[in-house]
Amino acid sequence: MNIKMSFPRKLAYSSGNLAALLSYQAFGTYIQFFYIDTLKLPAMLVATIGWTIYGIWNAINDPLAGAISDRTHTRWGRRIPYILFCTLPLAITFALLWLPPFRVENGQAGPLFAWFLVFILLFDLFWTVIVLNWTALFPEMFPSLEERTQVSGLRQAFSVIGLLLGVALPPLLYGSIGWGPMGIIFAVIVALFFFISLLGCREKKEFSREESLPLKAALGATLKNRSFLPFVGANIFIQFAFLILPATIPFYVKYVLKLGAGETSALLAALFVVAMILLLPWIKVTVRMGARKALMAACLLFAAPWLAFQVIGNFTGA
């Protein structure tokens, strides 16, 4: 029998999206700028070795974390323990990313790179484990279309807040109080909202009784899905663009526009303000055109304005 959850519990569960988006957007947008521009770690070292190892690790730990979670059996359930016990390690790891004890000018480029590599891998591990299990609870807790629609709306509201905080706020913080204190503040917020989300989490025993596919069989079934693979291939390129472009904005503002942290915040905030305004119109476009054509049109429209940055050299134009 399905028992509907109260609105406060739905709100609590949905708040986890703020922690997820805040931590990952701040990480994805500013970690390269911090280590390359501020700490002077060689860009080639970060790009060719650091992110290559990170990419391989990310590809391995995602399916592995899911397979382990599916086979977990505790008195608290199979999802909730991972959120509970990994939240504090995630917060600590996130804070330490912005508090490296080594400096290139002291001849410590090697230890600094090792610190960078170890903590981006740990951050990705804990983030993946928490968010994977937190997300997996959504279809289990909310089987009806009505509840899923309501909770999806709440999650999106928290995601917008997380995006704005994670992308637009950091320049104002590191420009005034420094990178380390910024990392600590964000770590506390991330831990707080993941713990709050636990107040709304509930597991149903019937789902844990279902037999899961072995990891090898699950990967094999995925790779044989002919409609899934082209989508994944296209989505890789889309996600690559979404991740790399915001990460270049701090460099662009500093070295092309010759401006500071305030203008970086303004440009990145503008991205999400426009996105929020156009969200409802694009939903209508998608309904009318269909998801496939709408996605193709969106990609073309997204790419075109970036060509203008070849000639734009002032803040107003940007």
Side-chain angles (χ1 to χ4, degrees):
M1 182 175 64
N2 179 39
I3 301 174
K4 288 189 176 182
M5 291 178 61
S6 65
F7 181 78
R9 290 194 68 172
K10 292 176 182 177
L11 192 67
Y13 169 77
S14 301
S15 70
N17 229 19
L18 188 153
L21 270 294
L22 167 62
S23 55
Y24 204 81
Q25 288 300 319
F27 170 79
T29 305
Y30 295 103
I31 199 68
Q32 291 188 100
F33 185 74
F34 175 53
Y35 276 87
I36 293 173
D37 189 79
T38 303
L39 300 181
K40 309 303 180 185
L41 198 60
M44 189 64 69
L45 188 64
V46 172
T48 58
I49 300 178
W51 290 119
T52 299
I53 295 174
Y54 174 85
I56 295 170
W57 171 243
N58 186 270
I60 293 172
N61 74 28
D62 283 26
L64 195 60
I68 293 172
S69 175
D70 285 343
R71 288 160 178 76
T72 297
H73 299 283
T74 73
R75 60 177 177 173
W76 301 291
R78 58 177 180 166
R79 313 293 189 196
I80 289 175
Y82 289 104
I83 305 170
L84 176 63
F85 294 113
C86 289
T87 289
L88 194 56
L90 172 68
I92 294 171
T93 300
F94 183 85
L96 290 175
L97 270 170
W98 312 96
L99 292 164
F102 308 108
R103 293 293 181 269
V104 171
E105 59 267 27
N106 296 335
Q108 299 171 325
L112 178 61
F113 175 72
W115 181 279
F116 166 77
L117 183 60
V118 167
F119 281 99
I120 64 171
L121 297 182
L122 287 175
F123 169 79
D124 186 73
L125 171 64
F126 293 126
W127 192 92
T128 297
V129 169
I130 293 171
V131 175
L132 181 147
N133 284 281
W134 178 82
T135 305
L137 286 172
F138 176 70
E140 296 179 8
M141 291 194 301
F142 310 108
S144 71
L145 179 61
E146 179 186 354
E147 282 193 303
R148 287 188 182 184
T149 302
Q150 183 186 33
V151 176
S152 291
L154 293 172
R155 288 173 61 179
Q156 289 303 313
F158 280 109
S159 73
V160 170
I161 298 171
L163 283 167
L164 285 171
L165 291 177
V167 172
L169 186 59
L172 300 179
L173 289 178
Y174 70 66
S176 57
I177 63 176
W179 291 94
M182 180 206 76
I184 293 171
I185 291 172
F186 277 11
V188 171
I189 295 172
V190 168
L192 176 64
F193 277 91
F194 272 135
F195 282 134
I196 289 174
S197 74
L198 282 169
L199 299 176
C201 291
R202 184 180 66 195
E203 294 201 46
K204 297 179 180 179
K205 292 181 179 179
E206 58 264 32
F207 289 102
S208 62
R209 297 192 191 105
E210 294 179 357
E211 190 71 25
S212 301
L213 279 174
L215 179 59
K216 185 177 180 180
L219 291 174
T222 301
L223 295 175
K224 290 178 182 177
N225 189 329
R226 293 185 177 181
S227 61
F228 177 69
L229 292 178
F231 169 76
V232 170
N235 196 50
I236 287 173
F237 289 105
I238 293 171
Q239 293 303 319
F240 174 78
F242 283 172
L243 288 172
I244 199 171
L245 289 172
T248 63
I249 292 295
F251 294 97
Y252 172 77
V253 172
K254 181 174 181 178
Y255 292 105
V256 177
L257 301 184
K258 311 292 185 184
L259 298 171
E263 289 78 11
T264 301
S265 285
L267 279 182
L268 288 166
L271 285 171
F272 293 101
V273 170
V274 172
M276 285 187 288
I277 293 172
L278 293 179
L279 184 60
L280 288 178
W282 264 106
I283 290 174
K284 294 181 180 179
V285 170
T286 303
V287 171
R288 170 172 271 186
M289 296 179 62
R292 181 174 177 272
K293 289 183 179 179
L295 177 62
M296 294 169 69
C299 288
L300 292 173
L301 290 171
F302 181 73
W306 292 96
L307 297 174
F309 281 91
Q310 301 295 318
V311 295
I312 290 174
N314 61 79
F315 179 70
T316 303

